[in-house]
Amino acid sequence: MDWVRLKSREPVENEAYIEWRRWVRRPRNPILMEEEAAKFNLQDLNAWVLAMSFTATGDNNQGAYFRDRRNPRAVWQSLVWDMDWAFDEGVHQTAQGPLRPSTDSFKVLLGDRARLFNRLFDNNEEYREAYQQYVRERLSRQLSRETVLKLMDRYESLACRHPSSSPKLMAVMKTTRAFLERRHAEYEGLLKERVREALSGARGESRPLAER
Protein backbone atom coordinates (compact mmCIF):
# COMPACT_ATOMS: atom_id res chain seq x y z
CA MET A 1 0.00 0.00 0.00
CA ASP A 2 0.95 3.61 -0.56
CA TRP A 3 0.25 5.12 2.85
CA VAL A 4 0.58 8.70 4.08
CA ARG A 5 -0.39 9.46 7.64
CA LEU A 6 -1.31 13.07 8.34
CA LYS A 7 0.22 14.81 11.36
CA SER A 8 3.08 12.37 11.31
CA ARG A 9 6.39 13.70 12.61
CA GLU A 10 8.12 12.18 9.62
CA PRO A 11 8.31 14.14 6.33
CA VAL A 12 6.15 12.91 3.48
CA GLU A 13 8.38 10.85 1.19
CA ASN A 14 5.79 8.88 -0.77
CA GLU A 15 6.43 9.92 -4.38
CA ALA A 16 3.00 8.79 -5.61
CA TYR A 17 1.27 10.98 -3.03
CA ILE A 18 3.57 13.91 -3.74
CA GLU A 19 2.73 13.58 -7.43
CA TRP A 20 -1.02 13.62 -6.68
CA ARG A 21 -0.65 16.58 -4.33
CA ARG A 22 1.16 18.53 -7.05
CA TRP A 23 -1.68 17.70 -9.43
CA VAL A 24 -4.31 18.93 -6.97
CA ARG A 25 -2.45 22.20 -6.43
CA ARG A 26 -1.66 22.87 -10.09
CA PRO A 27 -3.71 25.70 -11.64
CA ARG A 28 -5.73 24.32 -14.54
CA ASN A 29 -8.88 24.98 -16.49
CA PRO A 30 -11.24 23.28 -16.94
CA ILE A 31 -11.50 21.11 -13.83
CA LEU A 32 -12.90 17.83 -15.16
CA MET A 33 -14.69 15.41 -12.87
CA GLU A 34 -13.50 12.32 -14.79
CA GLU A 35 -9.85 13.41 -14.52
CA GLU A 36 -10.11 13.89 -10.77
CA ALA A 37 -12.00 10.60 -10.35
CA ALA A 38 -9.13 8.81 -12.10
CA LYS A 39 -6.82 9.97 -9.30
CA PHE A 40 -9.02 10.19 -6.18
CA ASN A 41 -12.15 8.32 -5.08
CA LEU A 42 -14.81 11.04 -5.30
CA GLN A 43 -17.34 9.09 -3.24
CA ASP A 44 -14.73 8.97 -0.51
CA LEU A 45 -14.22 12.72 -0.94
CA ASN A 46 -17.98 13.30 -0.63
CA ALA A 47 -18.11 11.20 2.53
CA TRP A 48 -15.24 13.11 4.12
CA VAL A 49 -16.67 16.54 3.28
CA LEU A 50 -20.13 15.62 4.57
CA ALA A 51 -18.77 14.01 7.74
CA MET A 52 -16.59 17.00 8.63
CA SER A 53 -18.93 19.80 7.57
CA PHE A 54 -22.13 18.25 8.95
CA THR A 55 -20.57 17.54 12.35
CA ALA A 56 -18.70 20.88 12.37
CA THR A 57 -15.38 19.18 13.09
CA GLY A 58 -12.88 22.02 13.39
CA ASP A 59 -9.76 19.83 13.48
CA ASN A 60 -10.52 18.04 10.22
CA ASN A 61 -7.20 17.60 8.37
CA GLN A 62 -6.38 14.28 9.99
CA GLY A 63 -6.30 10.57 9.26
CA ALA A 64 -4.38 9.13 6.32
CA TYR A 65 -4.34 8.81 2.53
CA PHE A 66 -3.84 5.38 0.99
CA ARG A 67 -3.77 3.55 -2.35
CA ASP A 68 -3.24 -0.06 -3.48
CA ARG A 69 -0.03 0.23 -5.48
CA ARG A 70 -0.48 -3.29 -6.91
CA ASN A 71 -3.41 -2.04 -8.98
CA PRO A 72 -2.28 0.24 -11.85
CA ARG A 73 -5.75 1.83 -11.90
CA ALA A 74 -6.01 2.36 -8.15
CA VAL A 75 -6.97 5.81 -6.92
CA TRP A 76 -6.27 7.61 -3.67
CA GLN A 77 -8.77 7.59 -0.84
CA SER A 78 -8.61 8.45 2.83
CA LEU A 79 -9.13 7.01 6.27
CA VAL A 80 -10.52 9.05 9.16
CA TRP A 81 -10.16 8.07 12.80
CA ASP A 82 -10.16 11.25 14.88
CA MET A 83 -13.20 13.52 15.16
CA ASP A 84 -12.70 14.76 18.70
CA TRP A 85 -13.57 18.34 17.70
CA ALA A 86 -16.96 17.38 16.32
CA PHE A 87 -20.01 19.53 17.14
CA ASP A 88 -17.62 22.48 17.49
CA GLU A 89 -19.57 25.69 18.08
CA GLY A 90 -16.60 27.74 19.18
CA VAL A 91 -14.78 30.45 17.22
CA HIS A 92 -11.37 29.78 15.63
CA GLN A 93 -8.90 32.53 14.80
CA THR A 94 -7.66 31.79 11.28
CA ALA A 95 -5.87 33.48 8.40
CA GLN A 96 -9.34 34.42 7.14
CA GLY A 97 -10.30 35.94 10.46
CA PRO A 98 -12.58 34.39 13.08
CA LEU A 99 -14.50 31.35 11.83
CA ARG A 100 -17.11 29.21 13.56
CA PRO A 101 -17.15 25.56 12.37
CA SER A 102 -20.89 25.20 12.99
CA THR A 103 -21.74 28.06 10.59
CA ASP A 104 -18.58 28.35 8.46
CA SER A 105 -18.63 24.60 7.92
CA PHE A 106 -17.13 24.62 4.42
CA LYS A 107 -14.64 27.45 4.98
CA VAL A 108 -12.93 25.61 7.85
CA LEU A 109 -12.17 22.47 5.81
CA LEU A 110 -8.41 21.94 5.59
CA GLY A 111 -5.86 20.06 3.51
CA ASP A 112 -5.67 18.48 0.08
CA ARG A 113 -9.12 16.87 0.29
CA ALA A 114 -10.59 20.30 0.95
CA ARG A 115 -8.60 21.82 -1.89
CA LEU A 116 -9.89 19.16 -4.29
CA PHE A 117 -13.48 19.57 -3.10
CA ASN A 118 -13.44 23.36 -3.42
CA ARG A 119 -11.95 23.31 -6.91
CA LEU A 120 -14.46 20.76 -8.13
CA PHE A 121 -17.42 22.41 -6.41
CA ASP A 122 -16.53 25.86 -7.70
CA ASN A 123 -15.65 24.87 -11.25
CA ASN A 124 -17.63 21.79 -12.20
CA GLU A 125 -21.42 21.81 -12.33
CA GLU A 126 -21.60 18.01 -12.64
CA TYR A 127 -19.70 17.56 -9.38
CA ARG A 128 -21.70 20.28 -7.64
CA GLU A 129 -24.90 18.42 -8.50
CA ALA A 130 -23.36 15.07 -7.55
CA TYR A 131 -22.36 16.31 -4.09
CA GLN A 132 -25.79 17.78 -3.44
CA GLN A 133 -27.41 14.49 -4.46
CA TYR A 134 -25.02 12.58 -2.20
CA VAL A 135 -26.00 14.81 0.73
CA ARG A 136 -29.72 14.42 0.07
CA GLU A 137 -29.44 10.64 0.00
CA ARG A 138 -27.28 10.32 3.11
CA LEU A 139 -29.24 12.79 5.23
CA SER A 140 -32.53 11.12 4.35
CA ARG A 141 -31.27 7.59 5.00
CA GLN A 142 -28.10 6.62 6.90
CA LEU A 143 -27.85 10.01 8.64
CA SER A 144 -31.51 10.95 8.88
CA ARG A 145 -32.60 13.14 11.78
CA GLU A 146 -34.48 10.20 13.29
CA THR A 147 -31.40 7.96 13.06
CA VAL A 148 -28.95 10.39 14.65
CA LEU A 149 -31.35 11.26 17.46
CA LYS A 150 -31.78 7.55 18.24
CA LEU A 151 -28.00 7.33 18.48
CA MET A 152 -28.10 10.33 20.79
CA ASP A 153 -30.62 8.52 22.99
CA ARG A 154 -28.23 5.58 23.24
CA TYR A 155 -25.21 7.70 24.15
CA GLU A 156 -27.16 9.68 26.73
CA SER A 157 -28.27 6.41 28.31
CA LEU A 158 -24.69 5.13 28.39
CA ALA A 159 -23.46 8.43 29.84
CA CYS A 160 -26.02 8.29 32.65
CA ARG A 161 -24.83 4.83 33.67
CA HIS A 162 -21.10 5.50 33.28
CA PRO A 163 -19.09 5.59 36.55
CA SER A 164 -17.64 8.98 35.61
CA SER A 165 -21.04 10.50 34.84
CA SER A 166 -21.12 14.10 35.98
CA PRO A 167 -23.15 17.27 35.44
CA LYS A 168 -20.45 18.44 33.01
CA LEU A 169 -20.74 15.29 30.89
CA MET A 170 -24.53 15.50 30.82
CA ALA A 171 -24.30 19.18 29.83
CA VAL A 172 -22.21 18.13 26.83
CA MET A 173 -24.85 15.56 25.93
CA LYS A 174 -27.53 18.24 26.12
CA THR A 175 -25.70 20.67 23.82
CA THR A 176 -24.87 17.85 21.38
CA ARG A 177 -28.53 16.85 21.19
CA ALA A 178 -29.52 20.47 20.54
CA PHE A 179 -26.94 20.59 17.73
CA LEU A 180 -28.29 17.41 16.10
CA GLU A 181 -31.93 18.45 16.48
CA ARG A 182 -31.39 21.52 14.32
CA ARG A 183 -28.49 20.41 12.11
CA HIS A 184 -30.32 18.90 9.14
CA ALA A 185 -32.26 22.08 8.40
CA GLU A 186 -29.22 24.20 9.23
CA TYR A 187 -26.94 22.18 6.93
CA GLU A 188 -29.39 22.47 4.05
CA GLY A 189 -29.11 26.25 4.35
CA LEU A 190 -25.31 26.15 4.56
CA LEU A 191 -25.10 24.00 1.43
CA LYS A 192 -27.42 26.33 -0.48
CA GLU A 193 -25.20 29.25 0.49
CA ARG A 194 -22.11 27.33 -0.65
CA VAL A 195 -23.78 26.75 -4.03
CA ARG A 196 -24.56 30.47 -4.32
CA GLU A 197 -20.93 31.29 -3.57
CA ALA A 198 -19.74 28.89 -6.25
CA LEU A 199 -22.11 30.31 -8.86
CA SER A 200 -21.21 33.89 -8.03
CA GLY A 201 -17.47 33.26 -8.05
CA ALA A 202 -17.20 34.55 -4.49
CA ARG A 203 -14.79 31.78 -3.48
CA GLY A 204 -12.16 33.21 -5.76
CA GLU A 205 -12.27 36.47 -3.81
CA SER A 206 -11.98 34.88 -0.37
CA ARG A 207 -10.07 31.64 -0.63
CA PRO A 208 -10.80 28.89 1.91
CA LEU A 209 -8.14 27.81 4.38
CA ALA A 210 -7.29 24.83 2.17
CA GLU A 211 -6.13 27.15 -0.59
CA ARG A 212 -3.63 28.97 1.62
Side-chain angles (χ1 to χ4, degrees):
M1 299 294 292
D2 284 312
W3 172 265
V4 177
R5 179 182 175 183
L6 296 170
K7 295 188 178 179
S8 170
R9 297 187 180 185
E10 299 297 325
V12 175
E13 296 181 350
N14 186 291
E15 288 298 328
Y17 174 79
I18 292 171
E19 180 182 349
W20 173 74
R21 186 174 61 187
R22 286 176 182 150
W23 164 261
V24 171
R25 298 182 180 196
R26 184 183 306 148
R28 57 189 184 278
N29 187 38
I31 306 295
L32 301 177
M33 189 169 168
E34 57 269 25
E35 286 188 350
E36 305 304 333
K39 298 177 182 293
F40 197 95
N41 184 324
L42 296 187
Q43 284 293 92
D44 179 83
L45 177 68
N46 292 343
W48 178 80
V49 173
L50 177 58
M52 297 303 165
S53 57
F54 182 83
T55 61
T57 299
D59 183 20
N60 52 69
N61 189 28
Q62 42 78 4
Y65 293 88
F66 65 95
R67 188 185 70 157
D68 182 358
R69 67 163 66 124
R70 297 168 302 179
N71 181 355
R73 302 183 65 181
V75 299
W76 287 98
Q77 50 193 320
S78 61
L79 181 66
V80 174
W81 57 66
D82 173 10
M83 295 178 68
D84 58 346
W85 283 22
F87 318 114
D88 185 352
E89 301 204 59
V91 176
H92 295 231
Q93 296 301 323
T94 74
Q96 290 180 271
L99 293 177
R100 187 185 297 272
S102 59
T103 55
D104 300 309
S105 306
F106 293 100
K107 291 181 181 178
V108 298
L109 295 176
L110 293 163
D112 291 319
R113 287 167 293 198
R115 183 184 296 271
L116 175 58
F117 169 77
N118 285 316
R119 287 197 172 185
L120 276 166
F121 201 90
D122 288 333
N123 298 288
N124 189 290
E125 182 179 0
E126 181 185 4
Y127 178 76
R128 202 157 46 239
E129 291 297 328
Y131 181 74
Q132 292 177 83
Q133 181 61 30
Y134 180 87
V135 169
R136 285 191 291 268
E137 291 177 356
R138 292 301 182 273
L139 295 190
S140 65
R141 297 177 184 176
Q142 294 96 332
L143 295 174
S144 69
R145 188 173 185 273
E146 179 183 17
T147 298
V148 298
L149 290 179
K150 282 184 178 179
L151 279 172
M152 196 68 233
D153 291 340
R154 177 173 181 267
Y155 284 117
E156 283 178 328
S157 176
L158 290 171
C160 287
R161 301 197 304 269
H162 196 276
S164 65
S165 182
S166 66
K168 183 178 180 181
L169 173 61
M170 298 315 297
V172 170
M173 291 291 165
K174 183 178 180 179
T175 58
T176 302
R177 173 177 286 278
F179 177 97
L180 292 172
E181 285 177 339
R182 71 170 193 271
R183 191 58 173 174
H184 287 73
E186 187 174 72
Y187 191 81
E188 181 180 354
L190 293 174
L191 183 54
K192 286 180 178 178
E193 178 58 30
R194 181 66 184 86
V195 171
R196 284 193 290 268
E197 289 181 356
L199 294 175
S200 68
R203 293 296 274 200
E205 299 171 9
S206 179
R207 291 180 299 161
L209 295 180
E211 294 289 310
R212 296 178 181 273

